[in-house]
Amino acid sequence: MAASRTTVIVDNGGNEIKATKLSASDVLSIKSDGKIPAPLCVPNALARPAKNAIQPPPDKVGKSRRPPKYLVGREILIAPDTSGMSFRRPIDHGFISLWDAQRDIWNSVFSKDKGVGISPSDIQSSSFVVTEQLGVPMHMRRAMDELVFESFGFHEYAPTPPQRLAALGAGRQTCVVLDSGFSFTTAVPVVNGMELPYCAKRLKVGGKLLTNYLRETITYRSWNMTDETSVVNAVKERLCYISMSYMRELAATKKGKGITKAYVLPDLTRSVFDPVGHVLQEGEETDGTEQLLKMNNERIAIPEILFSPSDIGLKQGGIAETIFQAVESCPEEVRADLYENIVLTGGNCLFRNFKERVDVELRPLVDSVYDVNTTLEESPTLTAINGGIRAVVEDSDSLKFVTKEVFSELGSDGILRELYGDEMETG
Amino acid sequence: MPRQRLGTAGEEQVSRGKRKREVANRMKRVDFSAVEEARNRRLEALENDNYAAEQEALLLEGEEEYNPGIESEDEMAGRKRNSRPRKRKQRRRQRGQKDSRLDGLKTGIEKWNKPTQLAVEEENLSARPKSMVSLLQMVVSPSSRPPRYFCSTCGYSAPYTCTRCFTRFCSVRCNLVHQETRCLKFTV
């Protein structure tokens, strides 16, 4: 890749897009001072406010503007009323399935006023790094080429597994990346900067499933929250945590030894500054008219699914077993290295006790000749994008660029050959 | 929904006996495969965004579906907001012509829209390059630990099983709630 090109890096997560633009001068300044710029983070969704939602104030004085039918990207973050908002997410089960929605969101991410700021004429000469999950169906593989080259017209692009970037972002050459994201959880062994695709394992539990399960539970037991995705998500993020000994703690909660906490549901007639509600603090006064949501065993039962999917009837091993199965399918000579370098990334790592629980569960599974060492990244959701920035700055081999010329001459088949072909010959 | 169909006003008198028979059949038919099916359906539902339900409701109301061409076109990076092209577009539409510029923009990317499940099912695995792993090869195998069972009503450890649908419950009280709400009386 020519270092003089502007590069746009996008970590296209199921819930959130992380994006950065690096011009040639940015690359130089990162090289000199090593400071990685904070990426732009926006929801990867189109949102439709409820019919009776409070409208945002008109953005320009004197200009009456029809409220937009769909909010895109950053607009969702600043929307005043998220109640009853419905989302249209381009990513379904971890892969892009609504390409027109994805195009519109990227448009907003690239735009000057709401995004990283790259003009259409600059795009023609820019490089693009985008994350693409392992095991992508061929249909999506081809559609991605179409979107990047036909709809946007980038000069070249590198679809890269986010786990490869995360390994770079964590500064490891050889490691297992456990990426527990919004759509699913994967464990991918990375050896010398490249992943071993045939040893990767995928568990069908992600943040979205947890949120939906919490919603189902709350709706069944207390309040009807079917439409309140953002509130349920906030409850999950603020109150749920991973129990270190689940059965014991569960029994204790039954006796009323308490982890019970109350959550004040939002009430927009009272305050518009609290759109998703808040945890009831100790000593906070209530006048009895607030809607209170009592969270008891749900606090530990929801994230427990990550470690024991069989609790909801999903016949797969938990996170520890995902790592175990991934490493055990690797050649024996790299296993010791892999067990010593387990990198935990993805939004679910933000649950309290995540790392401790992985340690506790993994140790008894793994042969005692190996040391087990896990590291939790400082900001687990940004590991992949930071790795992407590093890869661009260091002009790393881990990014395989394919150019528009190849696409216009040979189409998607040519791209496929460039991306996977040479590996095919060596085995 | 069988209940609705059978419950329509005119038929009620005639079909009472029939209804009994149908319900009885349905209750008899809840076997293990039906339970399995219901569980899978529930797991699949946990992957849903609210969008699917929303769209259904929209269609019922007769509103138009999401059409990115008109609104988001202005939002294209670098494109100025002015009224001229819109007028041109309107005129063209009136004349029944297609807006070629809009078509070029769309590049038919929405023709690639496809649910992931479907794309995975339709995939011809032999056509994949060797070094490209497929999803089926990445599945985590079942846990080596025995499954634990929790009450479907309250979430605590559940020693008992519903005789009709194999769902777990912990006490008589929870079982009553379960039978009134979740028990698979009418599924299949």
Side-chain angles (χ1 to χ4, degrees):
Chain A
M1 184 205 68
S4 57
R5 274 184 216 293
T6 302
T7 310
V8 180
I9 308 164
V10 168
D11 177 5
N12 203 30
N15 181 43
E16 198 178 46
I17 290 190
K18 280 75 73 178
T20 320
K21 183 185 79 165
L22 292 180
S23 62
S25 57
D26 291 337
V27 169
L28 285 179
S29 74
I30 293 174
K31 259 186 190 163
S32 64
D33 63 9
K35 262 185 206 159
I36 290 179
L40 168 86
C41 299
V42 296
N44 194 0
L46 300 172
R48 220 173 91 98
K51 282 225 167 75
N52 48 1
I54 298 169
Q55 297 300 340
D59 48 342
K60 274 170 196 159
V61 183
K63 206 178 183 186
S64 71
R65 216 180 132 199
R66 197 161 53 91
K69 203 168 169 195
Y70 281 86
L71 304 176
V72 185
R74 182 174 272 186
E75 294 165 349
I76 300 170
L77 292 179
I78 53 172
D81 185 1
T82 53
S83 160
M85 194 180 253
S86 64
F87 293 95
R88 185 178 205 243
R89 297 186 188 279
I91 293 193
D92 159 41
H93 291 80
F95 298 97
I96 306 174
S97 68
L98 300 174
W99 291 88
D100 48 341
Q102 189 66 76
R103 178 201 56 198
D104 290 352
I105 294 165
W106 281 4
N107 250 326
S108 138
V109 166
F110 297 155
S111 71
K112 277 223 158 60
D113 49 340
K114 286 175 208 136
V116 294
I118 182 163
S119 67
S121 55
D122 287 343
I123 282 182
Q124 309 266 323
S125 61
S126 298
S127 307
F128 184 48
V129 177
V130 65
T131 55
E132 187 170 84
Q133 292 288 346
L134 286 173
V136 54
M138 206 54 96
H139 179 86
M140 279 78 169
R141 180 79 280 291
R142 289 173 196 279
M144 181 69 100
D145 294 339
E146 189 107 350
L147 180 67
V148 171
F149 289 133
E150 296 277 334
S151 300
F152 287 102
F154 278 100
H155 175 75
E156 53 176 9
Y157 93 118
T160 315
Q163 292 85 4
R164 195 195 294 171
L165 297 179
L168 260 174
R172 310 291 172 99
Q173 277 294 307
T174 300
C175 64
V176 193
V177 177
L178 179 90
D179 180 1
S180 186
F182 185 66
S183 314
F184 50 67
T185 299
T186 49
V188 180
V190 178
V191 175
N192 295 328
M194 280 308 227
E195 73 280 355
L196 305 176
Y198 278 87
C199 303
K201 292 288 169 212
R202 178 173 180 272
L203 166 66
K204 286 197 277 184
V205 180
K208 188 203 264 182
L209 185 139
L210 299 186
T211 303
N212 279 339
Y213 183 58
L214 178 60
R215 172 177 29 207
E216 192 195 272
T217 312
I218 296 176
T219 302
Y220 184 62
R221 293 185 194 161
S222 47
W223 298 99
N224 185 352
M225 304 274 259
T226 9
D227 284 338
E228 309 291 340
T229 313
S230 45
V231 177
V232 176
N233 200 44
V235 174
K236 182 189 84 172
E237 284 171 6
R238 290 172 194 180
L239 283 177
C240 288
Y241 68 94
I242 288 162
S243 169
M244 290 306 288
S245 61
Y246 183 63
M247 294 312 272
R248 203 182 303 156
E249 202 160 343
L250 194 68
T253 57
K254 194 170 190 181
K255 286 180 195 135
K257 277 179 209 156
I259 57 166
T260 309
K261 282 221 167 159
Y263 190 89
V264 182
L265 296 176
D267 183 350
L268 291 174
T269 58
R270 213 182 273 262
S271 162
V272 289
F273 301 111
D274 190 21
V276 290
H278 60 274
V279 181
L280 187 73
Q281 302 299 325
E282 260 173 65
E284 187 179 331
E285 286 189 14
T286 54
D287 54 13
T289 55
E290 291 99 344
Q291 295 188 319
L292 287 181
L293 167 68
K294 278 242 167 83
M295 288 278 287
N296 189 17
N297 63 22
E298 298 86 359
R299 288 186 70 195
I300 50 175
I302 305 300
E304 182 67 17
I305 298 168
L306 286 168
F307 290 90
S308 175
S310 61
D311 290 0
I312 53 164
L314 182 64
K315 287 181 183 143
Q316 287 195 297
I319 281 191
E321 272 169 286
T322 308
I323 300 175
F324 176 71
Q325 288 176 18
V327 180
E328 287 300 307
S329 59
C330 293
E332 220 175 319
E333 55 268 27
V334 292
R335 284 185 205 162
D337 261 359
L338 292 175
Y339 278 128
E340 255 179 64
N341 295 288
I342 300 169
V343 174
L344 308 175
T345 71
N348 292 334
C349 298
L350 294 169
F351 281 123
R352 180 150 58 89
N353 290 346
F354 188 88
K355 174 185 162 2
E356 289 79 359
R357 181 71 186 268
V358 174
D359 287 341
V360 166
E361 292 228 338
L362 196 56
R363 190 60 265 187
L365 287 174
V366 177
D367 194 326
S368 60
V369 299
Y370 299 120
D371 283 336
V372 174
N373 184 22
T374 58
T375 24
L376 182 64
E377 288 306 301
E378 202 175 309
S379 43
T381 52
L382 300 182
T383 321
I385 182 91
N386 287 344
I389 296 172
R390 266 199 188 182
V392 170
V393 171
E394 291 166 8
D395 203 359
S396 155
D397 294 337
S398 50
L399 299 178
K400 266 191 207 166
F401 281 94
V402 283
T403 59
K404 193 175 181 184
E405 284 155 42
V406 175
F407 180 70
S408 36
E409 264 174 45
L410 300 164
S412 277
D413 291 338
I415 301 256
L416 212 58
R417 215 167 300 138
E418 291 241 325
L419 284 175
Y420 295 98
D422 44 353
E423 280 176 28
M424 207 168 5
E425 285 157 16
T426 53
Chain B
M1 282 294 286
R3 257 190 293 190
Q4 274 173 4
R5 203 186 64 227
L6 293 169
T8 43
E11 276 175 340
E12 188 134 5
Q13 282 291 321
V14 199
S15 64
R16 187 155 286 163
K18 198 177 147 205
R19 181 193 145 91
K20 248 187 202 164
R21 232 176 328 168
E22 281 205 12
V23 169
N25 277 338
R26 263 164 218 287
M27 304 223 313
K28 209 165 58 188
R29 240 189 291 153
V30 175
D31 55 6
F32 198 71
S33 67
V35 172
E36 191 92 327
E37 198 185 310
R39 180 190 299 147
N40 290 340
R41 220 181 305 135
R42 175 166 167 243
L43 285 176
E44 202 40 54
L46 287 179
E47 283 294 323
N48 279 349
D49 296 323
N50 47 10
Y51 189 72
E54 165 83 11
Q55 272 304 293
E56 225 166 280
L58 260 186
L59 285 179
L60 287 179
E61 278 173 41
E63 266 191 51
E64 60 178 288
E65 220 198 317
Y66 167 71
N67 179 5
I70 292 154
E71 262 188 24
S72 68
E73 191 233 348
D74 288 333
E75 319 247 334
M76 287 291 287
R79 235 166 252 277
K80 271 186 200 157
R81 221 176 216 284
N82 57 2
S83 56
R84 258 260 219 69
R86 193 172 280 180
K87 265 185 196 155
R88 202 194 306 150
K89 214 159 52 192
Q90 272 173 2
R91 271 205 304 277
R92 277 197 182 149
R93 208 175 290 143
Q94 279 162 7
R95 273 184 276 155
Q97 278 181 357
K98 272 189 174 177
D99 188 333
S100 58
R101 201 170 49 97
L102 206 62
D103 283 351
L105 240 177
K106 276 185 180 171
T107 56
I109 196 75
E110 55 269 34
K111 78 168 182 256
W112 291 95
N113 287 359
K114 189 182 267 188
T116 302
Q117 297 289 45
L118 192 65
V120 173
E121 276 164 26
E122 282 180 359
E123 173 132 56
N124 176 10
L125 287 178
S126 57
R128 284 174 84 90
K130 239 187 183 169
S131 60
M132 203 176 168
V133 67
S134 84
L135 279 187
L136 301 175
Q137 291 159 317
M138 290 171 67
V139 175
V140 177
S141 37
S143 174
S144 54
R145 286 184 308 189
R148 305 181 295 195
Y149 297 106
F150 298 103
C151 175
S152 75
T153 309
C154 70
Y156 292 106
S157 210
Y160 313 113
T161 309
C162 174
T163 47
R164 196 184 280 150
C165 69
F166 308 109
T167 308
R168 290 286 175 143
F169 63 90
C170 69
S171 61
V172 174
R173 226 176 68 196
C174 285
N175 190 29
L176 283 177
V177 177
H178 163 70
Q179 283 185 350
E180 277 170 17
T181 52
R182 274 185 174 168
C183 194
L184 298 174
K185 269 181 274 197
F186 291 101
T187 18
V188 177

